[in-house]
Each structure stands twice: as structure tokens, then as C-alpha cells.
Amino acid sequence: MRIKVRDEKIIKAIKKLEGIDIILKNVEDAKNAMRLILRKTEISRTKEYEGLKDITITQVFEHATSAVEYHSFYEVEFILTEDRFMEMEITLIKELQTMFEKL
């Protein structure tokens, strides 16, 4: 499954969780930031979290009103070791969405 997260939400989450200001210039920066965020989730403290093999991130630009104005998003895909970890993935997505909504 994939979630869509605005770049500014990732930046704010890192500031809140780690106390540092970051700049996201590319997908690799976003992937490193998401790894920092993921390790602060409740689900990361469970045995089921071992079922998360990797994350894939794609940068997306959406043009709201014109070709000049755009919003940058990152699509985050969770790669599982086995399908039996889908419940953990859903719980993780819910936790992340709640976290990002508060920012």
C-alpha cells in the first residue's frame, strides 16, 4: 500500500520528533527522514514490525492552479516480507496518518 505525504509534513515531523530542521531535496532525503519517523512509531516497538522489509519513495509534483505553482508530495510504499504482516502495515499507516494530521 502507499500513502501520500506532503514534504512539509515530513519536515515538521522531524522537527517535532528529533528537534532538527531538515531540507528535503530528493527522494533519498525523504527516505532517510521517513526511516527516522518510522522508528518513533508505536508499531516499530512490536515484533510484527520486523515484517517491514523496506520502504519505497517516489516524489510527486501536483500543480494546483498553474504550471508555476505546485505542491511536492512523497508517495511512500511499504514493502513487506510476507502478506501476513498486512495488519501491521495498516496499523502503521493509521499511526502515520494520525501523526501527520496533527502537524
Coordinates of all heavy atoms in Angstrom, one line a residue, residues 6-83:
R6 N 2.8 15.2 2.2 CA 3.4 16.5 1.8 C 4.8 16.6 2.3 O 5.0 16.2 3.5 CB 2.5 17.7 2.2 CG 1.2 17.8 1.7 CD 1.0 18.7 0.5 NE 1.7 20.0 0.5 CZ 1.1 21.2 0.6 NH1 -0.2 21.3 0.8 NH2 1.8 22.2 0.5
D7 N 5.7 17.2 1.6 CA 7.1 17.4 2.0 C 7.1 18.1 3.3 O 7.9 17.8 4.2 CB 7.9 18.0 0.9 CG 7.4 19.3 0.4 OD1 6.3 19.7 0.8 OD2 8.2 20.0 -0.3
E8 N 6.3 19.2 3.5 CA 6.3 20.0 4.7 C 5.9 19.2 5.9 O 6.4 19.5 7.0 CB 5.4 21.2 4.5 CG 4.0 20.9 4.3 CD 3.1 22.1 3.8 OE1 3.6 22.9 3.0 OE2 2.0 22.1 4.2
K9 N 5.1 18.2 5.7 CA 4.7 17.4 6.9 C 5.8 16.5 7.4 O 6.0 16.3 8.6 CB 3.5 16.5 6.5 CG 2.2 17.2 6.2 CD 1.5 17.7 7.4 CE 0.2 18.2 7.0 NZ -0.6 18.6 8.2
I10 N 6.6 16.0 6.4 CA 7.8 15.2 6.8 C 8.8 16.1 7.6 O 9.3 15.7 8.6 CB 8.4 14.6 5.6 CG1 7.5 13.6 4.9 CG2 9.8 13.9 5.9 CD1 8.0 13.0 3.6
I11 N 9.0 17.3 7.1 CA 9.9 18.3 7.7 C 9.5 18.6 9.1 O 10.3 18.6 10.0 CB 10.1 19.5 6.8 CG1 10.8 19.2 5.5 CG2 10.8 20.6 7.6 CD1 10.7 20.2 4.4
K12 N 8.2 18.9 9.3 CA 7.6 19.2 10.6 C 7.7 18.0 11.5 O 8.0 18.2 12.7 CB 6.2 19.7 10.5 CG 6.0 21.1 9.9 CD 4.6 21.5 9.7 CE 4.4 22.8 9.1 NZ 3.0 23.2 9.0
A13 N 7.5 16.8 11.0 CA 7.6 15.6 11.9 C 9.0 15.4 12.4 O 9.2 15.1 13.6 CB 7.1 14.4 11.1
I14 N 10.0 15.6 11.6 CA 11.4 15.5 12.0 C 11.7 16.6 13.0 O 12.4 16.3 14.0 CB 12.3 15.6 10.8 CG1 12.2 14.4 9.9 CG2 13.8 15.7 11.3 CD1 12.5 13.0 10.5
K15 N 11.2 17.8 12.8 CA 11.5 18.9 13.8 C 10.9 18.5 15.1 O 11.5 18.7 16.2 CB 10.9 20.2 13.3 CG 11.0 21.3 14.2 CD 12.4 21.8 14.4 CE 12.5 23.0 15.2 NZ 13.8 23.4 15.5
K16 N 9.6 18.0 15.1 CA 8.9 17.6 16.4 C 9.6 16.4 17.0 O 9.8 16.4 18.2 CB 7.5 17.3 16.1 CG 6.7 17.0 17.3 CD 5.2 16.8 16.9 CE 4.4 16.4 18.2 NZ 3.0 16.2 17.9
L17 N 9.9 15.4 16.3 CA 10.4 14.1 16.9 C 11.9 14.2 17.2 O 12.3 13.6 18.2 CB 10.2 13.0 15.9 CG 8.7 12.6 15.6 CD1 8.6 11.6 14.4 CD2 8.0 12.1 16.8
E18 N 12.7 14.8 16.4 CA 14.1 14.8 16.6 C 14.7 16.2 17.0 O 15.9 16.3 17.4 CB 14.8 14.4 15.3 CG 14.5 13.0 14.9 CD 15.0 11.9 15.8 OE1 16.0 12.2 16.6 OE2 14.5 10.8 15.8
G19 N 13.9 17.3 16.8 CA 14.4 18.6 17.2 C 15.3 19.2 16.2 O 16.1 20.1 16.6
I20 N 15.3 18.7 15.0 CA 16.3 19.3 14.0 C 15.5 19.8 12.8 O 14.4 19.3 12.5 CB 17.3 18.2 13.6 CG1 16.7 17.0 13.0 CG2 18.2 17.9 14.7 CD1 17.6 16.0 12.4
D21 N 16.0 20.8 12.1 CA 15.5 21.3 10.9 C 16.2 20.6 9.7 O 17.4 20.5 9.7 CB 15.7 22.8 10.7 CG 14.9 23.6 11.7 OD1 13.7 23.3 11.9 OD2 15.4 24.5 12.4
I22 N 15.4 20.1 8.8 CA 16.0 19.4 7.6 C 15.5 20.1 6.3 O 14.5 20.8 6.3 CB 15.7 17.9 7.6 CG1 14.2 17.7 7.5 CG2 16.3 17.2 8.8 CD1 13.8 16.2 7.1
I23 N 16.1 19.8 5.3 CA 15.7 20.2 3.9 C 15.6 18.9 3.1 O 16.5 18.1 3.1 CB 16.7 21.1 3.3 CG1 16.9 22.4 4.1 CG2 16.4 21.4 1.8 CD1 18.0 23.3 3.6
L24 N 14.5 18.7 2.4 CA 14.3 17.6 1.6 C 14.5 18.0 0.1 O 13.8 18.8 -0.4 CB 12.8 17.0 1.7 CG 12.4 16.5 3.0 CD1 11.0 16.0 3.0 CD2 13.3 15.4 3.5
K25 N 15.6 17.6 -0.4 CA 16.0 17.9 -1.8 C 15.6 16.8 -2.8 O 15.4 17.1 -4.0 CB 17.4 18.3 -1.9 CG 17.8 19.6 -1.3 CD 19.2 20.0 -1.7 CE 19.5 21.4 -1.3 NZ 20.7 21.9 -2.0
N26 N 15.5 15.6 -2.3 CA 15.3 14.5 -3.2 C 14.7 13.3 -2.5 O 14.4 13.4 -1.3 CB 16.6 14.1 -3.9 CG 17.7 13.8 -2.9 OD1 17.5 13.1 -1.9 ND2 18.9 14.3 -3.2
V27 N 14.5 12.2 -3.2 CA 13.9 11.0 -2.7 C 14.7 10.4 -1.6 O 14.2 9.9 -0.6 CB 13.6 10.0 -3.9 CG1 13.2 8.7 -3.3 CG2 12.6 10.6 -4.8
E28 N 16.0 10.4 -1.8 CA 16.9 9.8 -0.7 C 16.8 10.6 0.6 O 16.7 9.9 1.7 CB 18.3 9.8 -1.2 CG 19.2 8.9 -0.5 CD 18.7 7.4 -0.4 OE1 18.3 6.9 -1.5 OE2 18.9 6.8 0.6
D29 N 16.7 11.9 0.5 CA 16.5 12.7 1.8 C 15.1 12.3 2.4 O 15.1 12.1 3.6 CB 16.4 14.2 1.5 CG 17.8 14.7 1.1 OD1 18.8 14.1 1.3 OD2 17.8 15.9 0.5
A30 N 14.1 12.2 1.6 CA 12.8 11.8 2.1 C 12.8 10.4 2.7 O 12.2 10.1 3.8 CB 11.7 11.9 1.0
K31 N 13.5 9.5 2.1 CA 13.6 8.1 2.6 C 14.3 8.1 3.9 O 13.8 7.4 4.9 CB 14.3 7.2 1.6 CG 14.2 5.7 1.9 CD 14.7 4.9 0.8 CE 14.4 3.4 1.0 NZ 14.8 2.6 -0.1
N32 N 15.4 8.8 4.1 CA 16.1 8.9 5.4 C 15.2 9.5 6.4 O 15.2 9.0 7.6 CB 17.4 9.6 5.2 CG 18.4 8.9 4.4 OD1 18.4 7.7 4.3 ND2 19.3 9.6 3.8
A33 N 14.5 10.5 6.1 CA 13.6 11.2 7.0 C 12.5 10.2 7.5 O 12.2 10.1 8.7 CB 13.0 12.4 6.4
M34 N 11.9 9.5 6.5 CA 10.8 8.6 6.9 C 11.4 7.4 7.8 O 10.6 7.0 8.7 CB 10.2 8.0 5.6 CG 9.2 8.9 4.9 SD 7.8 9.4 6.0 CE 7.0 7.8 6.3
R35 N 12.6 7.0 7.6 CA 13.2 6.0 8.4 C 13.2 6.5 9.9 O 13.0 5.8 10.8 CB 14.5 5.6 7.9 CG 14.5 4.7 6.7 CD 15.9 4.1 6.4 NE 15.8 3.3 5.2 CZ 16.6 3.4 4.2 NH1 17.5 4.4 4.2 NH2 16.5 2.6 3.2
L36 N 13.6 7.8 10.0 CA 13.7 8.4 11.4 C 12.3 8.5 12.0 O 12.1 8.2 13.2 CB 14.3 9.8 11.3 CG 15.8 9.9 11.0 CD1 16.2 11.4 10.8 CD2 16.6 9.3 12.2
I37 N 11.3 8.8 11.2 CA 9.9 8.9 11.7 C 9.4 7.5 12.0 O 8.8 7.4 13.1 CB 9.0 9.6 10.6 CG1 9.4 11.1 10.4 CG2 7.6 9.5 11.0 CD1 8.9 11.7 9.2
L38 N 9.6 6.6 11.2 CA 9.1 5.2 11.5 C 9.7 4.6 12.8 O 8.9 3.9 13.5 CB 9.5 4.3 10.3 CG 8.7 4.5 9.0 CD1 9.3 3.6 7.9 CD2 7.3 4.2 9.2
R39 N 10.9 4.9 13.1 CA 11.5 4.3 14.3 C 10.9 4.9 15.6 O 11.0 4.4 16.7 CB 13.0 4.4 14.3 CG 13.5 5.8 14.5 CD 15.0 5.8 14.4 NE 15.4 7.2 14.8 CZ 16.4 7.5 15.5 NH1 17.3 6.5 15.9 NH2 16.7 8.7 15.9
K40 N 10.1 6.0 15.4 CA 9.4 6.7 16.6 C 8.0 6.3 16.7 O 7.3 6.7 17.6 CB 9.5 8.2 16.4 CG 10.9 8.8 16.5 CD 11.5 8.7 17.8 CE 12.8 9.4 17.8 NZ 13.4 9.6 19.2
T41 N 7.5 5.4 15.8 CA 6.1 4.9 15.9 C 6.0 3.8 17.0 O 6.9 3.1 17.3 CB 5.6 4.4 14.6 OG1 6.4 3.3 14.2 CG2 5.7 5.5 13.5
E42 N 4.7 3.7 17.5 CA 4.4 2.7 18.4 C 4.6 1.3 17.8 O 5.1 0.4 18.5 CB 3.0 2.8 18.9 CG 2.8 4.1 19.8 CD 3.5 4.0 21.1 OE1 3.5 2.9 21.7 OE2 4.0 5.0 21.6
I43 N 4.2 1.1 16.6 CA 4.2 -0.2 15.9 C 5.7 -0.6 15.7 O 6.0 -1.8 15.7 CB 3.5 -0.2 14.6 CG1 3.2 -1.6 14.1 CG2 4.2 0.6 13.5 CD1 2.0 -2.3 14.8
S44 N 6.6 0.3 15.7 CA 8.0 -0.1 15.5 C 8.6 -0.8 16.7 O 9.6 -1.5 16.6 CB 8.9 1.1 15.2 OG 9.0 2.0 16.3
R45 N 7.9 -0.7 17.8 CA 8.3 -1.4 19.0 C 7.8 -2.8 19.2 O 8.0 -3.5 20.2 CB 7.9 -0.6 20.2 CG 8.6 0.8 20.3 CD 8.2 1.6 21.5 NE 8.7 2.9 21.4 CZ 8.0 4.0 21.0 NH1 6.7 3.9 20.8 NH2 8.6 5.2 21.0
T46 N 7.1 -3.3 18.2 CA 6.4 -4.6 18.2 C 7.2 -5.6 17.4 O 8.0 -5.2 16.5 CB 5.0 -4.6 17.7 OG1 5.0 -4.3 16.3 CG2 4.2 -3.5 18.5
K47 N 7.0 -6.9 17.6 CA 7.6 -7.9 16.9 C 7.2 -7.9 15.4 O 8.0 -8.2 14.5 CB 7.3 -9.3 17.5 CG 7.9 -10.5 16.8 CD 9.0 -11.1 17.6 CE 9.5 -12.4 17.0 NZ 10.7 -12.2 16.3
E48 N 5.9 -7.6 15.2 CA 5.4 -7.6 13.8 C 6.1 -6.6 12.9 O 6.1 -6.7 11.7 CB 3.9 -7.2 13.8 CG 3.0 -8.3 14.4 CD 3.0 -8.4 15.9 OE1 3.3 -7.3 16.6 OE2 2.8 -9.5 16.5
Y49 N 6.7 -5.5 13.5 CA 7.4 -4.5 12.7 C 8.5 -5.1 11.9 O 8.9 -4.6 10.9 CB 7.9 -3.4 13.6 CG 8.5 -2.2 12.9 CD1 7.7 -1.3 12.2 CD2 9.9 -2.0 12.9 CE1 8.2 -0.3 11.5 CE2 10.4 -0.9 12.2 CZ 9.6 0.0 11.5 OH 10.1 1.0 10.9
E50 N 9.0 -6.3 12.3 CA 10.1 -7.0 11.6 C 9.6 -7.4 10.2 O 10.4 -7.7 9.3 CB 10.6 -8.2 12.4 CG 11.3 -7.8 13.7 CD 11.6 -9.1 14.5 OE1 11.4 -10.2 14.0 OE2 12.1 -8.9 15.7
G51 N 8.3 -7.4 10.0 CA 7.7 -7.7 8.7 C 7.9 -6.6 7.7 O 7.6 -6.9 6.5
L52 N 8.3 -5.5 8.1 CA 8.5 -4.4 7.2 C 9.9 -4.5 6.6 O 10.9 -4.3 7.3 CB 8.4 -3.0 7.8 CG 8.6 -1.8 7.0 CD1 7.5 -1.7 5.9 CD2 8.6 -0.5 7.8
K53 N 10.0 -4.9 5.3 CA 11.3 -5.2 4.7 C 12.0 -3.9 4.3 O 13.1 -3.7 4.4 CB 11.0 -6.1 3.5 CG 12.3 -6.5 2.7 CD 11.9 -7.4 1.6 CE 13.1 -7.8 0.8 NZ 12.8 -8.7 -0.3
D54 N 11.2 -3.0 3.7 CA 11.8 -1.7 3.1 C 10.6 -0.7 2.8 O 9.5 -1.1 2.9 CB 12.6 -2.0 1.9 CG 13.6 -0.9 1.5 OD1 13.7 0.0 2.3 OD2 14.2 -1.0 0.4
I55 N 11.0 0.5 2.5 CA 10.1 1.5 2.0 C 10.6 2.0 0.7 O 11.8 2.1 0.5 CB 9.8 2.6 3.0 CG1 11.2 3.3 3.4 CG2 9.1 2.2 4.2 CD1 11.0 4.6 4.2
T56 N 9.7 2.3 -0.2 CA 10.0 2.9 -1.5 C 9.3 4.2 -1.5 O 8.2 4.4 -1.1 CB 9.4 2.0 -2.6 OG1 10.0 0.7 -2.5 CG2 9.8 2.6 -4.0
I57 N 10.1 5.2 -2.0 CA 9.5 6.6 -2.0 C 9.6 7.2 -3.4 O 10.7 7.0 -4.0 CB 10.2 7.5 -1.0 CG1 10.0 7.0 0.4 CG2 9.8 8.9 -1.1 CD1 10.4 7.8 1.6
T58 N 8.6 7.8 -3.8 CA 8.5 8.5 -5.1 C 8.1 9.9 -4.9 O 7.1 10.2 -4.2 CB 7.5 7.8 -6.1 OG1 7.8 6.4 -6.1 CG2 7.5 8.4 -7.4
Q59 N 8.8 10.8 -5.5 CA 8.4 12.2 -5.4 C 7.4 12.6 -6.5 O 7.5 12.2 -7.7 CB 9.6 13.1 -5.6 CG 9.4 14.6 -5.2 CD 10.6 15.4 -5.2 OE1 11.6 15.1 -5.8 NE2 10.6 16.5 -4.5
V60 N 6.3 13.3 -6.1 CA 5.3 13.7 -7.0 C 5.0 15.2 -6.9 O 5.0 15.7 -5.8 CB 4.0 12.9 -6.6 CG1 2.8 13.4 -7.5 CG2 4.2 11.4 -6.7
F61 N 4.9 15.9 -8.0 CA 4.5 17.3 -8.0 C 3.1 17.4 -8.5 O 2.8 16.9 -9.6 CB 5.5 18.1 -8.9 CG 6.9 18.0 -8.4 CD1 7.8 17.2 -9.0 CD2 7.3 18.8 -7.4 CE1 9.1 17.1 -8.5 CE2 8.6 18.8 -6.9 CZ 9.5 17.9 -7.5
E62 N 2.3 18.1 -7.8 CA 0.9 18.4 -8.2 C 0.8 19.9 -8.5 O 1.1 20.7 -7.6 CB -0.1 17.9 -7.2 CG -0.2 16.4 -7.0 CD -1.3 16.0 -6.1 OE1 -2.0 16.9 -5.5 OE2 -1.5 14.8 -6.0
H63 N 0.3 20.2 -9.6 CA 0.1 21.6 -10.0 C -1.4 22.0 -9.7 O -2.3 21.6 -10.4 CB 0.4 21.8 -11.5 CG 1.8 21.4 -11.8 ND1 2.9 22.2 -11.6 CD2 2.3 20.2 -12.3 CE1 4.0 21.6 -11.9 NE2 3.7 20.4 -12.3
A64 N -1.5 22.7 -8.6 CA -2.9 23.1 -8.1 C -3.6 24.1 -9.1 O -4.7 23.8 -9.5 CB -2.8 23.7 -6.7
T65 N -2.9 25.2 -9.4 CA -3.6 26.2 -10.2 C -2.9 26.6 -11.5 O -3.5 27.0 -12.4 CB -3.8 27.5 -9.4 OG1 -2.5 27.9 -8.9 CG2 -4.7 27.2 -8.2
S66 N -1.6 26.3 -11.5 CA -0.9 26.7 -12.7 C 0.4 25.8 -12.8 O 0.7 25.1 -11.9 CB -0.5 28.2 -12.7 OG 0.5 28.4 -11.8
A67 N 1.1 25.9 -13.9 CA 2.3 25.2 -14.1 C 3.4 25.7 -13.2 O 4.4 25.0 -12.9 CB 2.8 25.3 -15.6
V68 N 3.3 26.9 -12.7 CA 4.3 27.5 -11.9 C 4.1 27.1 -10.4 O 5.1 26.9 -9.7 CB 4.3 29.1 -12.0 CG1 5.3 29.7 -11.1 CG2 4.6 29.4 -13.5
E69 N 2.8 27.1 -10.0 CA 2.5 26.8 -8.6 C 2.4 25.3 -8.4 O 1.6 24.7 -9.2 CB 1.3 27.5 -8.1 CG 1.4 29.0 -8.0 CD 0.1 29.6 -7.6 OE1 -0.6 29.0 -6.7 OE2 -0.4 30.6 -8.2
Y70 N 3.1 24.7 -7.5 CA 2.9 23.2 -7.3 C 3.2 22.9 -5.9 O 3.7 23.6 -5.1 CB 3.9 22.5 -8.2 CG 5.4 22.7 -7.9 CD1 6.0 21.9 -6.9 CD2 6.1 23.7 -8.5 CE1 7.3 22.1 -6.6 CE2 7.4 23.9 -8.2 CZ 8.0 23.0 -7.2 OH 9.3 23.2 -6.9
H71 N 2.7 21.7 -5.5 CA 2.9 21.1 -4.2 C 3.8 19.9 -4.4 O 3.5 19.1 -5.3 CB 1.6 20.8 -3.5 CG 0.8 21.9 -3.2 ND1 1.0 22.8 -2.2 CD2 -0.4 22.3 -3.8 CE1 0.1 23.8 -2.2 NE2 -0.8 23.5 -3.2
S72 N 4.7 19.7 -3.5 CA 5.6 18.5 -3.6 C 5.1 17.5 -2.5 O 4.8 17.8 -1.4 CB 7.0 18.8 -3.3 OG 7.8 17.7 -3.3
F73 N 4.9 16.2 -3.0 CA 4.4 15.1 -2.2 C 5.4 14.0 -2.3 O 6.1 13.9 -3.3 CB 3.1 14.6 -2.6 CG 1.9 15.5 -2.4 CD1 1.5 16.4 -3.4 CD2 1.2 15.5 -1.2 CE1 0.5 17.3 -3.2 CE2 0.1 16.3 -1.0 CZ -0.2 17.2 -2.0
Y74 N 5.4 13.1 -1.4 CA 6.1 11.9 -1.5 C 5.1 10.7 -1.3 O 4.4 10.7 -0.4 CB 7.2 11.8 -0.5 CG 8.4 12.7 -0.8 CD1 8.4 14.0 -0.2 CD2 9.4 12.4 -1.7 CE1 9.4 14.9 -0.5 CE2 10.4 13.3 -2.0 CZ 10.4 14.5 -1.4 OH 11.4 15.4 -1.7
E75 N 5.2 9.8 -2.3 CA 4.4 8.6 -2.1 C 5.3 7.6 -1.4 O 6.4 7.3 -1.9 CB 4.0 8.0 -3.5 CG 2.9 8.8 -4.1 CD 2.4 8.2 -5.5 OE1 2.9 7.1 -5.8 OE2 1.6 8.8 -6.1
V76 N 4.8 7.1 -0.3 CA 5.6 6.1 0.5 C 4.9 4.7 0.4 O 3.7 4.6 0.7 CB 5.6 6.5 2.0 CG1 6.5 5.6 2.8 CG2 6.1 8.0 2.1
E77 N 5.7 3.8 -0.1 CA 5.2 2.4 -0.3 C 5.9 1.5 0.7 O 7.1 1.6 0.8 CB 5.4 1.9 -1.7 CG 4.8 0.5 -1.9 CD 5.0 0.0 -3.3 OE1 5.7 0.7 -4.1 OE2 4.5 -1.1 -3.6
F78 N 5.1 0.7 1.4 CA 5.7 -0.2 2.4 C 5.9 -1.6 1.8 O 4.9 -2.1 1.3 CB 4.8 -0.3 3.6 CG 4.6 1.1 4.3 CD1 3.5 1.8 4.0 CD2 5.6 1.6 5.1 CE1 3.3 3.1 4.6 CE2 5.5 2.9 5.6 CZ 4.3 3.6 5.4
I79 N 7.1 -2.1 1.8 CA 7.4 -3.4 1.3 C 7.5 -4.4 2.4 O 8.3 -4.2 3.3 CB 8.7 -3.4 0.5 CG1 8.8 -2.2 -0.5 CG2 9.0 -4.8 -0.2 CD1 7.8 -2.2 -1.6
L80 N 6.6 -5.4 2.4 CA 6.5 -6.4 3.5 C 7.3 -7.6 3.1 O 7.4 -8.0 1.9 CB 5.1 -6.7 3.8 CG 4.1 -5.6 4.1 CD1 2.7 -6.1 4.3 CD2 4.6 -4.8 5.4
T81 N 7.8 -8.3 4.2 CA 8.4 -9.6 3.9 C 7.4 -10.7 3.5 O 7.8 -11.6 2.7 CB 9.2 -10.1 5.2 OG1 8.3 -10.1 6.3 CG2 10.4 -9.1 5.5
E82 N 6.2 -10.6 4.1 CA 5.2 -11.6 3.8 C 3.8 -10.9 3.9 O 3.7 -9.9 4.7 CB 5.2 -12.7 4.8 CG 6.5 -13.6 4.8 CD 6.5 -14.6 5.9 OE1 5.4 -15.3 6.1 OE2 7.5 -14.8 6.6
D83 N 2.8 -11.5 3.2 CA 1.5 -10.9 3.3 C 0.9 -11.0 4.7 O 0.0 -10.2 5.0 CB 0.6 -11.7 2.3 CG 0.9 -11.3 0.9 OD1 1.5 -10.2 0.6 OD2 0.4 -12.0 0.0

